[in-house]
Coordinates of all heavy atoms in Angstrom, one line a residue:
M1 N 142.5 118.4 65.2 CA 142.2 119.6 64.4 C 143.5 120.0 63.6 O 144.5 120.1 64.2 CB 141.8 120.7 65.4 CG 141.5 122.0 64.8 SD 140.9 123.2 65.9 CE 139.3 122.5 66.3
N2 N 143.3 120.3 62.4 CA 144.4 120.7 61.5 C 144.6 122.2 61.5 O 144.6 122.8 60.4 CB 144.2 120.1 60.1 CG 144.2 118.6 60.1 OD1 144.9 118.0 60.9 ND2 143.5 118.0 59.2
V3 N 144.8 122.8 62.7 CA 145.1 124.2 62.7 C 146.5 124.4 63.1 O 147.1 123.7 63.9 CB 144.1 124.9 63.7 CG1 144.3 124.4 65.1 CG2 144.2 126.4 63.7
N4 N 147.1 125.4 62.5 CA 148.5 125.7 62.8 C 148.7 126.5 64.0 O 148.4 127.7 64.0 CB 149.2 126.5 61.6 CG 149.3 125.7 60.3 OD1 149.3 124.5 60.4 ND2 149.3 126.3 59.2
V5 N 149.0 125.9 65.1 CA 149.2 126.5 66.4 C 150.6 126.1 66.9 O 150.8 124.9 67.0 CB 148.1 126.1 67.5 CG1 148.4 126.8 68.8 CG2 146.7 126.4 67.0
Q6 N 151.4 127.1 67.2 CA 152.8 126.7 67.7 C 152.9 127.2 69.2 O 152.3 128.2 69.5 CB 153.9 127.4 66.9 CG 154.0 126.9 65.5 CD 153.2 127.7 64.5 OE1 153.1 128.9 64.6 NE2 152.7 127.0 63.5
S7 N 153.6 126.5 69.9 CA 153.9 126.9 71.3 C 154.8 128.2 71.3 O 155.6 128.3 70.4 CB 154.6 125.8 72.1 OG 154.7 126.1 73.4
H8 N 154.7 129.0 72.3 CA 155.5 130.2 72.4 C 155.7 130.5 73.8 O 154.9 130.1 74.7 CB 154.6 131.4 71.8 CG 155.4 132.7 71.7 ND1 155.5 133.5 72.8 CD2 156.0 133.3 70.7 CE1 156.2 134.6 72.4 NE2 156.5 134.5 71.2
P9 N 156.9 131.0 74.2 CA 157.2 131.2 75.6 C 156.1 132.0 76.4 O 155.9 131.8 77.6 CB 158.5 132.0 75.6 CG 159.2 131.7 74.3 CD 158.0 131.4 73.3
E10 N 155.4 132.9 75.7 CA 154.3 133.7 76.3 C 152.9 133.1 76.2 O 152.0 133.6 76.7 CB 154.3 135.1 75.8 CG 155.6 135.9 76.1 CD 155.5 137.3 75.6 OE1 154.5 138.0 75.8 OE2 156.5 137.7 74.9
G11 N 152.8 132.0 75.4 CA 151.5 131.4 75.2 C 151.5 130.5 73.9 O 152.1 129.5 73.9
C12 N 150.9 131.0 72.8 CA 150.9 130.3 71.6 C 150.7 131.2 70.4 O 150.3 132.4 70.6 CB 149.8 129.2 71.6 SG 148.1 129.8 71.7
V13 N 151.1 130.7 69.2 CA 151.0 131.5 68.0 C 150.0 130.8 67.1 O 150.1 129.6 66.9 CB 152.4 131.6 67.3 CG1 152.2 132.3 66.0 CG2 153.4 132.4 68.2
L14 N 149.0 131.6 66.6 CA 148.0 131.1 65.8 C 148.1 131.7 64.4 O 148.2 132.9 64.3 CB 146.6 131.4 66.4 CG 145.4 131.1 65.5 CD1 145.2 129.6 65.3 CD2 144.1 131.7 66.1
E15 N 148.0 130.9 63.3 CA 148.0 131.5 62.0 C 146.5 131.7 61.6 O 145.6 130.9 61.8 CB 148.6 130.5 61.0 CG 150.1 130.3 61.2 CD 150.8 129.5 60.2 OE1 150.5 129.7 59.0 OE2 151.7 128.7 60.6
V16 N 146.3 132.9 61.0 CA 145.0 133.4 60.7 C 145.0 133.9 59.2 O 145.9 134.5 58.7 CB 144.6 134.6 61.6 CG1 143.4 135.4 61.1 CG2 144.4 134.1 63.0
K17 N 143.9 133.6 58.6 CA 143.6 134.1 57.2 C 142.5 135.2 57.4 O 141.4 134.9 57.8 CB 143.1 133.0 56.3 CG 142.6 133.4 55.0 CD 143.7 133.7 54.0 CE 143.1 133.9 52.6 NZ 143.9 134.8 51.9
A18 N 142.8 136.4 57.2 CA 141.9 137.5 57.4 C 141.0 137.8 56.1 O 141.5 137.7 55.0 CB 142.6 138.8 57.7
Q19 N 139.8 138.1 56.4 CA 138.9 138.5 55.3 C 138.2 139.8 55.7 O 137.1 139.8 56.3 CB 137.8 137.5 54.9 CG 137.0 137.9 53.7 CD 135.9 136.9 53.4 OE1 136.1 135.7 53.6 NE2 134.8 137.3 52.8
P20 N 138.8 140.9 55.4 CA 138.2 142.2 55.7 C 137.0 142.5 54.7 O 136.9 141.9 53.7 CB 139.3 143.2 55.5 CG 140.3 142.6 54.5 CD 140.1 141.1 54.7
G21 N 136.2 143.5 55.2 CA 135.1 143.9 54.3 C 134.0 142.9 54.2 O 133.2 142.9 53.2
A22 N 133.9 141.9 55.1 CA 132.8 140.9 55.1 C 131.5 141.5 55.5 O 131.4 142.6 56.1 CB 133.2 139.7 55.9
R23 N 130.4 140.8 55.3 CA 129.1 141.3 55.7 C 128.9 141.3 57.2 O 128.3 142.1 57.8 CB 128.0 140.4 55.1 CG 127.6 140.8 53.8 CD 126.3 140.2 53.4 NE 126.5 139.8 52.0 CZ 125.9 138.8 51.4 NH1 125.0 138.0 52.1 NH2 126.1 138.5 50.2
K24 N 129.6 140.3 57.9 CA 129.5 140.2 59.3 C 130.8 139.6 59.9 O 131.5 138.9 59.2 CB 128.3 139.4 59.8 CG 128.4 138.0 59.5 CD 127.2 137.3 60.1 CE 127.2 135.8 59.8 NZ 126.2 135.0 60.5
A25 N 131.1 140.0 61.1 CA 132.3 139.4 61.8 C 132.0 138.0 62.2 O 131.0 137.8 62.9 CB 132.7 140.3 63.0
E26 N 132.9 137.1 61.8 CA 132.6 135.7 62.2 C 133.9 134.9 62.0 O 134.8 135.3 61.3 CB 131.5 135.1 61.4 CG 131.8 135.0 59.9 CD 130.6 134.4 59.1 OE1 129.8 133.7 59.7 OE2 130.5 134.7 57.9
L27 N 133.9 133.7 62.7 CA 134.9 132.7 62.4 C 134.4 131.8 61.4 O 133.3 131.3 61.5 CB 135.2 131.9 63.7 CG 135.8 132.7 64.9 CD1 136.0 131.8 66.1 CD2 137.1 133.4 64.5
R28 N 135.1 131.6 60.3 CA 134.5 130.9 59.1 C 135.3 129.6 58.9 O 135.5 129.2 57.8 CB 134.5 131.7 57.9 CG 133.4 131.2 56.9 CD 133.3 132.1 55.7 NE 132.4 133.3 56.0 CZ 132.3 134.3 55.2 NH1 133.1 134.4 54.1 NH2 131.5 135.3 55.5
G29 N 135.7 128.9 60.0 CA 136.4 127.6 59.9 C 137.9 127.7 59.6 O 138.5 128.7 59.8
L30 N 138.4 126.6 59.1 CA 139.8 126.5 58.8 C 140.1 126.5 57.3 O 139.3 125.9 56.6 CB 140.4 125.2 59.4 CG 140.3 125.1 61.0 CD1 140.8 123.7 61.4 CD2 141.0 126.2 61.7
Q31 N 141.1 127.1 56.9 CA 141.5 127.2 55.5 C 143.0 127.0 55.5 O 143.8 127.8 55.9 CB 141.1 128.5 54.9 CG 141.4 128.6 53.4 CD 140.9 129.9 52.8 OE1 140.6 130.8 53.5 NE2 140.8 129.9 51.5
A32 N 143.5 125.8 54.9 CA 144.9 125.5 54.8 C 145.6 125.6 56.2 O 146.7 126.1 56.3 CB 145.6 126.4 53.8
G33 N 144.9 125.1 57.2 CA 145.5 125.1 58.6 C 145.4 126.5 59.3 O 145.9 126.6 60.4
M34 N 144.8 127.5 58.6 CA 144.7 128.8 59.3 C 143.2 129.0 59.6 O 142.3 128.6 58.9 CB 145.1 129.9 58.3 CG 146.6 129.9 58.0 SD 147.1 131.1 56.8 CE 146.6 130.3 55.3
L35 N 143.0 129.7 60.7 CA 141.7 130.1 61.2 C 141.2 131.3 60.3 O 141.9 132.3 60.2 CB 141.7 130.5 62.6 CG 140.3 131.0 63.2 CD1 139.3 129.9 63.1 CD2 140.5 131.6 64.6
K36 N 140.1 131.1 59.6 CA 139.6 132.2 58.7 C 138.7 133.1 59.6 O 137.7 132.7 60.2 CB 138.8 131.7 57.6 CG 138.5 132.8 56.6 CD 138.0 132.2 55.2 CE 137.8 133.3 54.3 NZ 137.3 132.8 53.0
V37 N 139.1 134.4 59.7 CA 138.4 135.4 60.5 C 137.9 136.5 59.6 O 138.7 137.1 58.9 CB 139.4 136.0 61.6 CG1 138.6 137.0 62.4 CG2 140.0 134.9 62.4
C38 N 136.6 136.7 59.6 CA 136.0 137.7 58.7 C 135.6 138.9 59.6 O 135.1 138.7 60.7 CB 134.7 137.2 58.1 SG 135.0 135.7 57.0
V39 N 135.9 140.1 59.1 CA 135.5 141.3 59.9 C 134.9 142.3 58.8 O 135.2 142.2 57.7 CB 136.7 142.0 60.6 CG1 137.1 141.1 61.8 CG2 137.8 142.3 59.7
T40 N 134.0 143.2 59.3 CA 133.3 144.1 58.4 C 134.2 145.3 58.1 O 134.0 145.9 57.0 CB 132.0 144.6 59.1 OG1 132.4 145.2 60.4 CG2 131.1 143.5 59.4
E41 N 135.2 145.6 58.9 CA 136.1 146.8 58.6 C 136.9 146.5 57.3 O 137.3 145.3 57.0 CB 137.0 147.1 59.8 CG 136.3 147.8 60.9 CD 135.4 146.8 61.7 OE1 135.4 145.6 61.4 OE2 134.7 147.3 62.6
V42 N 137.3 147.6 56.7 CA 138.1 147.5 55.5 C 139.6 147.4 55.8 O 140.0 147.9 56.9 CB 137.9 148.6 54.5 CG1 136.5 148.5 53.9 CG2 138.1 150.0 55.1
A43 N 140.4 146.9 54.9 CA 141.8 146.8 55.2 C 142.6 148.1 54.8 O 143.3 148.2 53.8 CB 142.4 145.6 54.4
E44 N 142.4 149.1 55.6 CA 143.1 150.3 55.4 C 143.4 151.0 56.8 O 142.6 150.9 57.7 CB 142.3 151.3 54.6 CG 141.0 151.8 55.2 CD 140.3 152.8 54.3 OE1 140.4 152.7 53.1 OE2 139.6 153.7 54.8
K45 N 144.6 151.5 56.9 CA 145.1 152.1 58.2 C 145.0 151.2 59.4 O 144.7 151.7 60.5 CB 144.4 153.4 58.4 CG 144.7 154.4 57.3 CD 143.9 155.7 57.5 CE 144.2 156.7 56.3 NZ 143.3 157.9 56.4
G46 N 145.1 149.9 59.2 CA 145.0 149.0 60.3 C 143.7 148.7 60.9 O 143.5 148.1 62.0
K47 N 142.6 149.2 60.3 CA 141.3 149.1 60.8 C 140.9 147.6 60.9 O 140.3 147.1 61.9 CB 140.2 149.8 59.9 CG 140.3 151.3 60.0 CD 139.3 151.9 59.1 CE 139.4 153.4 59.1 NZ 138.5 154.0 58.1
A48 N 141.1 146.8 59.9 CA 140.8 145.4 59.9 C 141.6 144.6 60.9 O 141.1 143.8 61.6 CB 141.0 144.8 58.5
N49 N 142.9 145.0 61.0 CA 143.7 144.3 62.1 C 143.2 144.5 63.5 O 143.0 143.6 64.3 CB 145.2 144.8 62.0 CG 145.9 144.3 60.8 OD1 145.5 143.3 60.2 ND2 147.0 145.0 60.4
K50 N 142.8 145.8 63.8 CA 142.3 146.1 65.1 C 140.9 145.4 65.3 O 140.7 144.8 66.4 CB 142.1 147.6 65.2 CG 141.7 148.1 66.5 CD 141.6 149.6 66.6 CE 141.3 150.1 68.0 NZ 141.3 151.5 68.1
A51 N 140.1 145.3 64.2 CA 138.8 144.6 64.3 C 139.0 143.1 64.6 O 138.3 142.5 65.4 CB 138.0 144.8 63.1
I52 N 140.0 142.5 63.9 CA 140.3 141.1 64.2 C 140.7 140.8 65.6 O 140.2 139.9 66.3 CB 141.4 140.6 63.2 CG1 140.8 140.5 61.8 CG2 142.0 139.2 63.6 CD1 141.9 140.3 60.7
V53 N 141.6 141.6 66.1 CA 142.1 141.5 67.5 C 140.9 141.6 68.5 O 140.7 140.8 69.4 CB 143.2 142.4 67.8 CG1 143.5 142.5 69.3 CG2 144.5 142.1 67.0
N54 N 140.1 142.7 68.2 CA 138.9 142.9 69.1 C 137.9 141.8 69.0 O 137.3 141.4 70.1 CB 138.3 144.3 68.8 CG 139.1 145.4 69.3 OD1 139.9 145.3 70.2 ND2 139.0 146.6 68.6
F55 N 137.6 141.4 67.8 CA 136.6 140.3 67.7 C 137.1 139.0 68.4 O 136.3 138.4 69.1 CB 136.4 140.0 66.2 CG 135.5 138.9 65.9 CD1 134.2 138.9 66.2 CD2 136.0 137.7 65.4 CE1 133.3 137.8 65.9 CE2 135.2 136.6 65.1 CZ 133.8 136.7 65.4
L56 N 138.3 138.6 68.2 CA 138.8 137.4 68.8 C 138.9 137.6 70.3 O 138.5 136.6 71.1 CB 140.2 137.0 68.3 CG 140.2 136.6 66.8 CD1 141.7 136.3 66.4 CD2 139.4 135.3 66.6
R57 N 139.3 138.7 70.8 CA 139.3 139.0 72.2 C 137.9 138.8 72.9 O 137.8 138.2 73.9 CB 139.9 140.4 72.5 CG 139.9 140.8 73.9 CD 140.4 142.2 74.1 NE 139.7 143.2 73.4 CZ 138.5 143.7 73.8 NH1 138.0 143.3 74.9 NH2 137.9 144.6 73.1
K58 N 136.9 139.4 72.2 CA 135.6 139.3 72.8 C 135.0 137.9 72.6 O 134.4 137.3 73.6 CB 134.6 140.2 72.0 CG 134.9 141.7 72.4 CD 134.0 142.6 71.6 CE 134.4 144.1 71.9 NZ 133.6 145.0 71.0
T59 N 135.3 137.2 71.5 CA 134.8 135.9 71.3 C 135.4 134.9 72.3 O 134.7 134.0 72.8 CB 135.2 135.4 69.8 OG1 134.6 136.3 68.9 CG2 134.7 134.0 69.6
W60 N 136.7 135.0 72.6 CA 137.3 134.1 73.5 C 137.4 134.7 74.9 O 138.0 134.0 75.8 CB 138.7 133.8 73.0 CG 138.7 133.0 71.7 CD1 137.7 132.2 71.2 CD2 139.7 133.0 70.7 NE1 138.1 131.7 70.0 CE2 139.3 132.1 69.7 CE3 141.0 133.6 70.6 CZ2 140.1 131.9 68.5 CZ3 141.7 133.4 69.5 CH2 141.3 132.5 68.4
K61 N 136.8 135.8 75.2 CA 136.8 136.4 76.5 C 138.2 136.6 77.1 O 138.5 136.2 78.2 CB 135.9 135.6 77.5 CG 134.4 135.6 77.0 CD 133.6 134.6 77.9 CE 132.2 134.6 77.5 NZ 131.9 134.2 76.2
L62 N 139.0 137.2 76.3 CA 140.4 137.5 76.7 C 140.6 139.0 76.9 O 139.8 139.8 76.5 CB 141.4 137.0 75.6 CG 141.4 135.6 75.2 CD1 142.3 135.3 74.1 CD2 141.7 134.7 76.4
R63 N 141.7 139.4 77.6 CA 142.0 140.8 77.8 C 142.7 141.3 76.5 O 143.3 140.5 75.8 CB 143.0 141.0 79.0 CG 142.3 140.6 80.3 CD 143.2 141.0 81.5 NE 144.6 140.5 81.4 CZ 145.0 139.2 81.6 NH1 144.2 138.3 81.9 NH2 146.3 138.9 81.4
G64 N 142.6 142.6 76.3 CA 143.1 143.2 75.1 C 144.6 142.9 74.9 O 145.1 142.7 73.8
S65 N 145.3 142.9 76.0 CA 146.8 142.7 75.9 C 147.2 141.3 75.6 O 148.4 141.0 75.3 CB 147.4 143.1 77.2 OG 146.9 142.4 78.3
Q66 N 146.2 140.4 75.6 CA 146.6 139.0 75.4 C 146.7 138.6 73.9 O 147.2 137.5 73.6 CB 145.5 138.0 76.0 CG 145.6 137.9 77.5 CD 144.6 136.9 78.0 OE1 143.5 137.3 78.4 NE2 145.0 135.7 78.0
I67 N 146.2 139.4 73.0 CA 146.3 139.1 71.5 C 147.2 140.2 70.9 O 146.9 141.4 71.0 CB 144.9 139.0 70.9 CG1 144.1 137.9 71.6 CG2 145.1 138.7 69.4 CD1 142.7 137.8 71.0
E68 N 148.1 139.8 70.1 CA 149.0 140.7 69.4 C 149.3 140.1 68.0 O 149.6 138.9 67.9 CB 150.3 140.9 70.2 CG 151.3 141.8 69.5 CD 152.7 141.8 70.3 OE1 152.6 141.6 71.5 OE2 153.7 142.0 69.6
I69 N 149.4 141.0 67.0 CA 149.7 140.5 65.7 C 151.3 140.5 65.6 O 151.9 141.6 65.8 CB 149.2 141.4 64.6 CG1 147.6 141.4 64.6 CG2 149.7 141.0 63.2 CD1 146.9 142.3 63.6
L70 N 151.8 139.3 65.4 CA 153.3 139.2 65.3 C 153.8 139.5 63.9 O 154.9 140.1 63.7 CB 153.7 137.8 65.7 CG 153.6 137.4 67.1 CD1 154.1 135.9 67.3 CD2 154.4 138.3 68.0
S71 N 153.1 139.0 62.9 CA 153.5 139.3 61.5 C 152.3 139.3 60.6 O 151.2 138.8 60.9 CB 154.5 138.2 61.1 OG 153.8 136.9 61.0
G72 N 152.5 139.9 59.4 CA 151.4 139.9 58.4 C 150.4 141.1 58.5 O 149.3 141.0 58.1
E73 N 150.9 142.2 59.1 CA 150.0 143.3 59.3 C 149.4 143.9 58.0 O 148.3 144.4 58.0 CB 150.8 144.5 60.1 CG 151.1 144.1 61.5 CD 150.9 145.2 62.5 OE1 150.7 146.4 62.1 OE2 151.0 144.9 63.7
T74 N 150.2 143.7 56.9 CA 149.7 144.2 55.6 C 149.4 143.1 54.7 O 149.2 143.3 53.5 CB 150.8 145.2 55.0 OG1 152.0 144.4 54.8 CG2 151.0 146.4 55.8
N75 N 149.2 141.9 55.2 CA 148.9 140.7 54.5 C 147.7 140.0 55.0 O 147.3 140.2 56.1 CB 150.1 139.8 54.6 CG 150.2 138.7 53.6 OD1 149.1 138.1 53.2 ND2 151.3 138.3 53.2
S76 N 147.0 139.3 54.2 CA 145.8 138.6 54.7 C 146.2 137.4 55.6 O 145.4 136.9 56.4 CB 144.9 138.1 53.5 OG 145.6 137.1 52.7
Q77 N 147.4 136.9 55.4 CA 147.9 135.8 56.3 C 148.6 136.4 57.4 O 149.6 137.1 57.2 CB 148.7 134.8 55.5 CG 147.9 134.1 54.4 CD 148.8 133.1 53.7 OE1 149.9 132.8 54.0 NE2 148.2 132.6 52.6
K78 N 148.2 136.1 58.7 CA 148.8 136.7 59.8 C 149.2 135.7 60.9 O 148.6 134.6 60.9 CB 147.8 137.7 60.5 CG 147.3 138.8 59.5 CD 146.3 139.6 60.1 CE 145.7 140.6 59.1 NZ 146.6 141.4 58.4
K79 N 150.1 136.0 61.7 CA 150.4 135.2 62.9 C 150.1 136.1 64.1 O 150.6 137.2 64.3 CB 151.9 134.8 62.9 CG 152.2 133.8 61.8 CD 153.6 133.2 62.0 CE 153.8 132.1 61.0 NZ 155.1 131.4 61.2
L80 N 149.3 135.5 65.0 CA 148.9 136.2 66.2 C 149.5 135.5 67.4 O 149.4 134.3 67.5 CB 147.3 136.1 66.4 CG 146.5 136.7 65.2 CD1 145.0 136.6 65.6 CD2 146.9 138.1 64.9
L81 N 150.0 136.3 68.3 CA 150.4 135.8 69.6 C 149.3 135.8 70.6 O 148.6 136.9 70.7 CB 151.6 136.6 70.2 CG 152.0 136.3 71.6 CD1 152.5 134.9 71.8 CD2 153.1 137.3 72.0
I82 N 148.9 134.7 71.2 CA 147.8 134.6 72.2 C 148.5 134.4 73.5 O 149.0 133.3 73.7 CB 146.8 133.5 71.9 CG1 146.4 133.5 70.4 CG2 145.6 133.6 72.8 CD1 145.7 134.7 69.9
R83 N 148.6 135.4 74.3 CA 149.4 135.3 75.6 C 148.6 134.5 76.7 O 147.3 134.6 76.7 CB 149.7 136.6 76.2 CG 150.8 137.4 75.4 CD 151.2 138.7 76.1 NE 152.2 139.3 75.3 CZ 152.0 140.1 74.3 NH1 150.7 140.4 73.9 NH2 153.0 140.7 73.6
N84 N 149.3 133.8 77.5 CA 148.7 133.0 78.6 C 147.7 132.0 78.2 O 146.8 131.7 79.0 CB 148.2 134.0 79.7 CG 149.2 135.0 80.1 OD1 150.3 134.7 80.4 ND2 148.8 136.3 80.2
V85 N 147.8 131.5 77.0 CA 146.9 130.4 76.5 C 147.8 129.4 75.9 O 148.6 129.7 75.0 CB 145.9 131.0 75.5 CG1 145.0 129.9 74.9 CG2 145.0 132.1 76.1
S86 N 147.6 128.1 76.3 CA 148.5 127.0 75.8 C 147.8 126.6 74.4 O 146.7 126.9 74.1 CB 148.5 125.8 76.7 OG 147.2 125.2 76.7
P87 N 148.6 126.0 73.6 CA 148.1 125.5 72.3 C 146.8 124.6 72.5 O 145.9 124.7 71.8 CB 149.2 124.7 71.7 CG 150.5 125.4 72.2 CD 150.1 125.7 73.6
E88 N 146.9 123.8 73.6 CA 145.7 122.9 73.9 C 144.5 123.7 74.3 O 143.4 123.4 73.8 CB 146.1 121.9 75.0 CG 147.2 120.9 74.6 CD 148.6 121.5 74.7 OE1 148.8 122.6 75.4 OE2 149.5 121.0 74.1
E89 N 144.7 124.8 75.1 CA 143.6 125.6 75.5 C 143.0 126.4 74.2 O 141.8 126.5 74.1 CB 144.0 126.6 76.5 CG 144.3 126.0 77.9 CD 145.0 127.0 78.8 OE1 145.8 127.8 78.4 OE2 144.7 126.9 80.0
L90 N 143.9 126.8 73.3 CA 143.4 127.5 72.1 C 142.6 126.5 71.3 O 141.5 126.9 70.8 CB 144.6 128.0 71.3 CG 144.2 128.8 70.1 CD1 143.3 130.1 70.5 CD2 145.4 129.3 69.3
V91 N 143.0 125.3 71.1 CA 142.3 124.4 70.3 C 140.9 124.2 70.9 O 139.9 124.1 70.2 CB 143.0 123.0 70.2 CG1 142.1 121.9 69.6 CG2 144.2 123.2 69.2
Q92 N 140.8 124.1 72.3 CA 139.5 124.0 73.0 C 138.7 125.2 72.7 O 137.4 125.1 72.5 CB 139.7 123.7 74.5 CG 138.4 123.4 75.2 CD 137.7 122.2 74.6 OE1 138.3 121.1 74.5 NE2 136.5 122.3 74.3
L93 N 139.2 126.4 72.7 CA 138.5 127.6 72.4 C 137.9 127.5 71.0 O 136.7 127.9 70.8 CB 139.4 128.9 72.5 CG 139.8 129.3 73.9 CD1 140.8 130.4 73.9 CD2 138.5 129.8 74.7
L94 N 138.6 127.0 70.1 CA 138.2 126.9 68.7 C 137.0 125.9 68.6 O 136.0 126.1 68.0 CB 139.3 126.5 67.8 CG 140.4 127.5 67.6 CD1 141.6 126.9 66.8 CD2 139.9 128.7 66.9
V95 N 137.1 124.8 69.3 CA 136.1 123.8 69.4 C 134.8 124.4 70.0 O 133.7 124.2 69.5 CB 136.5 122.5 70.1 CG1 135.4 121.6 70.4 CG2 137.6 121.8 69.3
D96 N 135.0 125.1 71.1 CA 133.9 125.8 71.8 C 133.1 126.8 70.8 O 132.0 127.0 71.0 CB 134.3 126.5 73.0 CG 134.8 125.5 74.1 OD1 134.5 124.3 74.0 OD2 135.4 126.0 75.1
C97 N 133.9 127.3 69.9 CA 133.3 128.3 68.9 C 132.7 127.6 67.7 O 132.2 128.2 66.8 CB 134.4 129.2 68.4 SG 134.9 130.4 69.7
G98 N 132.7 126.2 67.7 CA 132.1 125.5 66.6 C 133.0 125.2 65.4 O 132.5 124.8 64.4
I99 N 134.3 125.5 65.6 CA 135.2 125.1 64.5 C 135.4 123.6 64.5 O 135.7 123.0 65.5 CB 136.6 125.8 64.7 CG1 136.4 127.4 64.8 CG2 137.6 125.5 63.6 CD1 135.8 128.0 63.6
E100 N 135.1 123.0 63.3 CA 135.1 121.6 63.2 C 136.5 121.0 63.4 O 137.5 121.5 63.0 CB 134.6 121.2 61.8 CG 133.1 121.5 61.6 CD 132.2 120.7 62.5 OE1 132.4 119.5 62.8 OE2 131.3 121.4 63.1
N101 N 136.5 119.9 64.1 CA 137.7 119.1 64.4 C 137.8 118.0 63.3 O 137.0 117.1 63.4 CB 137.6 118.5 65.8 CG 138.9 118.0 66.3 OD1 139.9 118.2 65.6 ND2 138.9 117.5 67.5
D102 N 138.7 118.2 62.3 CA 138.7 117.2 61.3 C 139.8 116.2 61.4 O 140.5 116.0 62.2 CB 138.9 117.9 59.9 CG 139.6 119.2 59.8 OD1 139.9 119.7 60.9 OD2 139.9 119.6 58.8

């Protein structure tokens, strides 16, 4: 899978391409090595960022404290820290969600 996932002392770091204001919240595959995450909330006052974290947390059945935005809070390209999940486990979560392994 050509997704940008780096190891981190607390878990792993995932690169995400955010698309706020979409019709529905969904994972829309990989784009340039980043996971494309669509949310219905607009990109103002952190609403879309919160929606992305909540959507991924629910999708992957993680606790709220396990996902944190490390960088890109005001950018569509973000780096998320996923705590207590190895890069290999994260890739498996993506496969389980139907993200194609290319």
